[in-house]
Amino acid sequence: GALRMSQQPTASRDEITRQLRGAVDQLKITVDAMHETDGDITSVMAATRYRLAPRLQAAGIDLYWDVAQLPIVPSWSVRQSYQLQMILFEAFTNMVVHSEARSASLVARLIESDGASAVDITIRDDGRGFDLSAPQGATGRGLANMRSRAQTLGVSLQMTSVPGNTCICLRIPVA
């Protein structure tokens, strides 16, 4: 994408730089995801924050991060960790590129309900919001990619968005 953009005569240096930073961040997350986490979702979340926090800071977005100690999920694989990291990457990339947000939060908790356990991850920002009913592809592939990754993971993904409050909620069942 960055190469294609750089070949466009109208592409600005800032756009190309942003695209290249995103590509490097995605590469770093991919390399991080190659390491076995032994089902430690908390560590996966920490690695993702380490990679993405500087990008949010550079965009002028204050990040509040509150991740409780989450349970070890023995069946959680490297591939699942990667899918989760890429959902988070896409959410934060959309925030940086499109939202004009000044602040964002990520909260992750273990939820017990009706004898079942799940990890809830909630990402919020105070940006301009977006239209969830816009035709797929009209605003890029980010939301569709997130939905596809969530389906691959077998997790619930809910999104709401109005000006000043966009919320992306993931619910990961814990056996």
Side-chain angles (χ1 to χ4, degrees):
L3 178 60
R4 190 172 45 248
M5 182 181 281
S6 71
Q7 295 169 339
Q8 301 297 320
T10 58
S12 75
R13 182 181 177 107
D14 288 343
E15 289 171 333
I16 295 168
T17 300
R18 185 177 60 237
Q19 190 79 332
L20 287 170
R21 279 193 182 119
V24 169
D25 287 343
Q26 188 170 356
L27 179 61
K28 288 176 180 178
I29 286 172
T30 300
V31 170
D32 289 347
M34 289 179 191
H35 299 91
E36 184 59 57
T37 62
D38 297 322
D40 187 353
I41 295 175
T42 305
S43 292
V44 171
M45 303 284 292
T48 305
R49 178 184 183 191
Y50 174 75
R51 295 295 183 200
L52 296 179
R55 194 162 177 222
L56 292 167
Q57 184 178 24
I61 300 172
D62 292 325
L63 177 62
Y64 171 77
W65 191 273
D66 183 10
V67 177
Q69 184 62 42
L70 303 173
I72 300 295
V73 182
S75 62
W76 194 259
S77 69
V78 169
R79 180 157 173 71
Q80 288 169 301
S81 294
Y82 175 71
Q83 295 294 340
L84 174 60
Q85 286 178 303
M86 293 311 297
I87 290 170
L88 298 175
F89 174 81
E90 193 70 57
F92 284 113
T93 295
N94 288 344
M95 190 184 300
V96 167
V97 174
H98 303 294
S99 78
E100 299 174 6
R102 304 294 2 126
S103 64
S105 66
L106 182 145
V107 176
R109 296 280 182 270
L110 177 65
I111 305 298
E112 304 279 348
S113 176
D114 299 324
S117 299
V119 171
D120 276 5
I121 301 170
T122 303
I123 302 166
R124 289 187 185 276
D125 74 59
D126 65 353
R128 64 183 182 169
F130 59 92
D131 183 2
L132 284 164
S133 65
Q136 188 170 328
T139 58
R141 298 273 317 140
L143 299 179
N145 288 342
M146 289 170 61
R147 288 182 182 113
S148 175
R149 290 179 188 284
Q151 184 175 14
T152 297
L153 272 174
V155 305
S156 164
L157 173 67
Q158 301 293 321
M159 293 184 240
T160 59
S161 187
V162 295
N165 186 16
T166 294
C167 182
I168 298 170
C169 302
L170 288 163
R171 178 163 283 183
I172 303 168
V174 178

